[in-house]
Amino acid sequence: MNISTNLNTLTHLVVFKLDESDFGIDLAVVEGAIRAVSVTPLPKAPEIVSGVINARGRIIPVVNLRKRFRLPEREPEIEDRLLIVHTATRAFAFVVDAVSGVLEITEPPLITADTILPDLEYLQGVLKLKDGLILIHDLNRFLSLEEEQVLNEVLH
């Protein structure tokens, strides 16, 4: 499975909400969405890692997207979901407010992140729709090299 998606070949996005913003991630890297469960804190983990969960017998780090995108923190709610995604090296769970569904992109009106701001971190681009924007995650650049190394150390 190729997870290094080119925006021009992106055809399906899983759309999720954080506060009032819509975000998307390539369907190819999404394993599924589950109800939010209790997260076990992970000492010495990078700041954006809330802890770990046991999902289908695997220990998966839970990433706090609110911290990554500088959104206000809030108490967990019963409607929250964990979106389980994977890179070439590991699986992650993102805490999201809701998963809206899968969006098929037929004629992508996509704007690459570099045309918005040079070196825009964590985003691959923006999808313009009639009723708003969807910010598309770049999962391959989501963790810095240092965060990835620290996470490897605390998980092994």
Side-chain angles (χ1 to χ4, degrees):
M1 182 177 309
N2 182 5
I3 63 169
S4 59
T5 305
N6 179 327
L7 279 177
N8 296 325
T9 62
L10 188 62
T11 58
H12 291 88
L13 280 179
V14 174
V15 180
F16 60 91
K17 283 202 165 295
L18 286 173
D19 288 340
E20 298 302 314
S21 298
D22 288 318
F23 294 85
I25 193 161
D26 185 6
L27 176 63
V29 301
V30 176
E31 293 182 16
I34 61 173
R35 290 183 199 261
V37 296
S38 179
V39 176
T40 302
L42 189 61
K44 299 182 182 179
E47 185 179 337
I48 67 161
V49 176
S50 302
V52 292
I53 60 168
N54 180 347
R56 301 178 190 124
R58 296 183 301 163
I59 303 303
I60 298 177
V62 177
V63 174
N64 185 334
L65 291 177
R66 291 179 173 280
K67 284 186 180 178
R68 176 57 80 209
F69 291 111
R70 297 183 183 112
L71 296 171
E73 291 291 324
R74 69 168 179 72
E75 290 297 316
E77 296 179 6
I78 197 150
E79 299 87 16
D80 289 351
R81 295 289 181 258
L82 293 172
L83 189 62
I84 300 176
V85 299
H86 65 270
T87 66
T89 58
R90 81 170 71 254
F92 292 98
F94 292 151
V95 180
V96 300
D97 298 350
V99 177
S100 304
V102 176
L103 178 65
E104 183 175 0
I105 304 168
T106 53
E107 292 184 31
L110 296 166
I111 301 168
T112 62
D114 288 343
T115 61
I116 299 167
L117 281 174
D119 299 323
L120 187 61
E121 294 180 306
Y122 321 122
L123 292 179
Q124 193 173 8
V126 176
L127 177 64
K128 291 189 331 184
L129 301 175
K130 291 177 189 172
D131 57 348
L133 301 174
I134 297 176
L135 304 174
I136 303 171
H137 276 288
D138 185 346
L139 197 56
N140 292 318
R141 295 190 308 174
F142 192 74
L143 288 181
S144 71
L145 183 58
E146 181 181 331
E147 289 169 332
E148 183 76 31
Q149 289 172 338
V150 169
L151 190 56
N152 282 338
E153 289 172 13
V154 297
L155 286 174
H156 292 103

